[in-house]
Amino acid sequence: MSTSGRCLCGEIVFEYEGSELWRGHCHCESCRRQTASPLTTFMGVSNERWRWLAQVPKVYQSSHDVRRYFCANCGSPVAYESDRFPDEIHFYASLLDNHSNFIPDQHYHWEERVSWLCVEDNLPRSQ
């Protein structure tokens, strides 16, 4: 099974095969600032199972061990990589072409969440 996604303008397109390693909402401050949203939702994909199909995104090194990929044309955040997770990339779930089978399974960095967002699901919350 192949899954694809793209940025707002369509210059950056990614595709991966098979299931994700995990699916979750991130509440950390750096993800919030990078996306200008109260949380962002990612999925982890093994490095050997994904590829860029169109242009290669630009990279912003947001800290010594973190790289954030984005479209140079429309500015859409596309993916996240960290030395802490050397064998995977994290794609933004909102970029998926088909959301029908995507269900997050956890909240990450729960302690950093914004106080004004009401989250009423029963997903596990990790610090």
Side-chain angles (χ1 to χ4, degrees):
M1 175 184 88
S2 177
T3 303
S4 62
R6 64 179 176 83
C7 68
L8 179 62
C9 71
E11 283 193 12
I12 307 295
V13 180
F14 61 88
E15 178 181 72
Y16 60 92
E17 298 294 329
S19 298
E20 300 87 4
L21 299 170
W22 55 268
R23 303 167 171 193
H25 304 295
C26 184
H27 297 268
C28 82
E29 180 181 3
S30 61
C31 284
R32 289 195 326 264
R33 290 187 183 279
Q34 200 250 339
T35 62
S37 60
L39 60 86
T40 193
T41 305
F42 288 110
M43 76 284 283
V45 177
S46 295
N47 280 340
E48 68 275 1
R49 295 191 300 111
W50 69 271
R51 64 187 174 130
W52 303 118
L53 295 179
Q55 299 295 317
V56 174
K58 296 292 183 184
V59 180
Y60 172 65
Q61 184 102 23
S62 62
S63 62
H64 73 282
D65 65 340
V66 172
R67 293 157 303 284
R68 295 178 180 274
Y69 294 82
F70 65 97
C71 177
N73 186 53
C74 67
S76 294
V78 179
Y80 167 98
E81 278 185 327
S82 173
D83 294 347
R84 294 181 318 176
F85 312 103
D87 300 324
E88 64 190 70
I89 192 165
H90 305 164
F91 290 111
Y92 291 88
S94 294
L95 301 180
L96 290 174
D97 291 324
N98 181 348
H99 298 99
S100 64
N101 294 324
F102 187 86
I103 301 171
D105 55 19
Q106 184 152 349
H107 289 274
Y108 297 98
H109 303 288
W110 182 251
E111 75 284 355
E112 295 183 47
R113 71 190 180 281
V114 294
S115 61
W116 46 265
L117 178 68
C118 180
V119 177
E120 296 183 355
D121 62 38
N122 293 320
L123 297 177
R125 289 148 164 75
S126 68
Q127 304 302 321

